[in-house]
Amino acid sequence: MGKNYHPSWEELFKNQFDQPYMKALSAFVQSERELHVVYPPAHQVFNAFALTPFSSIKVVVLGQDPYHNEGQAHGLSFSVPDGVQIPPSLRNIYAELSTDILGFQTPKSGNLIRWAEQGVLLLNATLTVRAHQAGSHQKVGWEVFTDQVIKYVSSKLEGVVFLLWGSYAIKKSALIDSKKHLILTSVHPSPLSAYRGFFGSKPFSQVNAYLIAQGKEPIKWQL
């Protein structure tokens, strides 16, 4: 696995990469890449950690699995590269933004790099997937690693907003110190559930109100 990440993550990564589970996970992903097509490409697996330095984190958006169709996954939850069709969940995120944030114009691209560069950690619980097989790399060690990431952010930083959408993500609130951070939960933005409480939940304006109250620069959601 390519270790492309910002040096500010070194303490956590070094500690985890030395663990037996991570060595086993690395071997698993390597063997999967030899036998199958795996997304995202090796150099983009840790893209969220390359684009968002640890100390700059203001928001964590937790997804579950990378997209599993060609050209979609690039290491950021909910995001796709420029030129790739906007997936349904992200389309619904944009729809909520357009009613939540005054003047928000729906972007033509699904690339969320500009959020990542402002301190929005776009973290998936599982960081790789076999092509066209959703969930194929779950429960092989990635969740152990990303749970450590969530705990590390919770313990070392203060005043971070965690956006947990859907029951899978909401379970992760057990890892977060709610006295130090703001946890915002709702149903998942997927077409199956968005109408049951994602639309109208106004998470993005709540994030910015919380950041401003701490004297932090709000997120410019417009892409």
Side-chain angles (χ1 to χ4, degrees), residues 134-183:
S136 47
H137 287 188
Q138 288 177 8
K139 301 187 172 68
V140 291
W142 277 128
E143 297 91 339
V144 181
F145 173 70
T146 54
D147 280 1
Q148 289 301 320
V149 171
I150 294 166
K151 283 184 184 165
Y152 190 74
V153 172
S154 175
S155 68
K156 300 264 182 183
L157 297 176
E158 278 184 36
V160 173
V161 189
F162 290 83
L163 293 177
L164 307 181
W165 296 327
S167 56
Y168 180 88
I170 289 168
K171 285 187 187 120
K172 303 289 182 183
S173 56
L175 307 169
I176 303 160
D177 183 345
S178 58
K179 294 188 194 71
K180 289 169 60 184
H181 306 285
L182 177 64
I183 302 172

Side-chain angles (χ1 to χ4, degrees), residues 114-128:
R114 282 173 65 182
W115 292 359
E117 291 171 342
Q118 294 179 72
V120 181
L121 183 67
L122 296 164
L123 179 66
N124 277 318
T126 302
L127 297 188
T128 54

Side-chain angles (χ1 to χ4, degrees), residues 21 85 103 162 207:
Y21 88 86
Q85 189 176 2
F162 290 83
V207 166

